Amino acid sequence: MTVARDFDQLTVVDHPLIRHKLTLMRKVDTTPADFRRLLREISSLLTVEATRNVPLDEVHVETPLCKTAGWRMQEPVPVVVPVLRAGLGMADGVLDVMSEADIGHIGVYRDEETVRPIEYLVRLPSRLSDRTVVVVDPMLATGYSGAHAVTVLLDNGARPENIVFMALVAAPEGVKVLTDMHPKVRVVTASLDSHLNEKSYIVPGLGDAGDRIFGTL
C-alpha cells in the first residue's frame, strides 16, 4: 500500500495480486466475463483498505474452548453506493467481504460535450450521518461524476470524513477535482494512471469500464 505524495487523501493499494489482476483487465482481448470476474476480485481486495476505519464494538463470544473478547461492526452498518452503471461491477466485490452492508444507488451519465455529470437516479438508505459510506466506480477520470456523487451523499446527511471513494483506476486530474471539492473524503484505488487524453479517457487505463463489464462495445 502506498499513499501518493501529491494527494494526501489518496491511497494506492499496490498489492501484488491487485497488480497482476489489473494487468489482465487492461488487455484489450480480455472477455467481458473475465473482466467482470477480475473487477469483482480486485474490488474485494480494495475493500479491506477502504473499510480500515469502520468503527467496531467489543463483544464476547463462546469459542469451543472458552469465552473470549471479540469485535463486530457498529450499527448502523456501512453502506456501499455504486455509481451507475459501471459501479455495479464493483459492488458485488465489496459485498463479498462485507455482506452486512446496506446498498444505495446513484445514477449519473457523462455529457460527452461538457464531460459533466447528469443525474438520473438517487436511492439511498437512511441515517447516513452515522455510517461509513463506500462509493464505488471503476474509473475516476475527470472526477466530476465522483464529486457529484459525494455531493449527493452530503446533501443526504453523510459526513465527509466517513465517505470513501473507491475506484479501480484513477487519473491525477480526477483525483485533484474530487479532493479539491471534498478534501475530507478518502480515495482508494488500485492504480494512479498517467493522464486523461483529449476525450477524457484515462491513459493507459482500460477503455470504457461500463462497456467492458456489460459487453456493450
Side-chain angles (χ1 to χ4, degrees), residues 81-88 104-110 117-124 137 145 148-149 152:
V81 180
V83 179
L84 307 181
R85 65 178 173 152
L88 292 171
H105 296 91
I106 297 175
V108 297
Y109 65 91
R110 186 171 73 175
I118 298 174
E119 178 187 301
Y120 64 88
L121 176 73
V122 176
R123 295 288 187 275
L124 298 170
D137 194 347
S145 293
H148 178 82
V152 169

Side-chain angles (χ1 to χ4, degrees), residues 12-55:
V12 179
V13 185
D14 56 356
H15 190 281
L17 286 178
I18 291 178
R19 294 167 68 184
H20 166 74
K21 293 174 186 295
L22 180 58
T23 300
L24 296 176
M25 291 186 71
R26 291 192 194 271
K27 293 174 58 179
V28 68
D29 57 350
T30 296
T31 66
D34 285 338
F35 193 92
R36 289 191 294 268
R37 173 182 57 80
L38 291 162
L39 179 59
R40 183 169 181 159
E41 292 171 354
I42 293 177
S43 298
S44 293
L45 296 170
L46 291 176
T47 300
V48 176
E49 175 58 33
T51 57
R52 177 177 294 276
N53 298 323
V54 168

Side-chain angles (χ1 to χ4, degrees), residues 55-173:
L56 302 173
D57 287 324
E58 186 173 0
V59 297
H60 290 85
V61 297
E62 292 281 351
T63 79
L65 299 177
C66 66
K67 190 172 185 177
T68 187
W71 304 92
R72 68 180 176 196
M73 289 190 296
Q74 286 184 4
E75 296 285 346
V77 294
V79 179
V80 55
V81 180
V83 179
L84 307 181
R85 65 178 173 152
L88 292 171
M90 298 184 73
D92 286 342
V94 178
L95 294 170
D96 282 344
V97 293
M98 192 170 61
S99 59
E100 301 89 345
D102 289 334
I103 307 169
H105 296 91
I106 297 175
V108 297
Y109 65 91
R110 186 171 73 175
D111 185 294
E112 293 303 324
E113 292 186 3
T114 66
V115 300
R116 295 299 194 272
I118 298 174
E119 178 187 301
Y120 64 88
L121 176 73
V122 176
R123 295 288 187 275
L124 298 170
S126 61
R127 296 180 61 187
L128 291 183
S129 63
D130 300 324
R131 300 175 186 250
T132 298
V133 182
V134 182
V135 186
V136 292
D137 194 347
M139 314 299 284
L140 180 55
T142 65
Y144 295 117
S145 293
H148 178 82
V150 171
T151 298
V152 169
L153 291 167
L154 296 176
D155 289 345
N156 282 271
R159 300 169 60 185
E161 61 271 22
N162 292 342
I163 299 173
V164 182
F165 191 95
M166 195 173 89
L168 180 70
V169 175
E173 296 93 329

Side-chain angles (χ1 to χ4, degrees), residues 188-206:
V188 174
T189 185
S191 176
L192 182 64
D193 278 12
S194 174
H195 64 281
L196 296 179
N197 67 12
E198 65 281 359
K199 294 184 178 180
S200 296
Y201 280 88
I202 300 175
V203 179
L206 40 71

Side-chain angles (χ1 to χ4, degrees), residues 3-12 160-161 163-165 175 178-179 182-189:
V3 178
R5 289 177 297 175
D6 295 337
F7 302 109
D8 291 339
Q9 292 296 94
L10 174 67
T11 301
V12 179
E161 61 271 22
I163 299 173
V164 182
F165 191 95
V175 177
L178 179 57
T179 56
H182 301 292
K184 293 184 179 181
V185 171
R186 290 179 61 218
V187 179
V188 174
T189 185

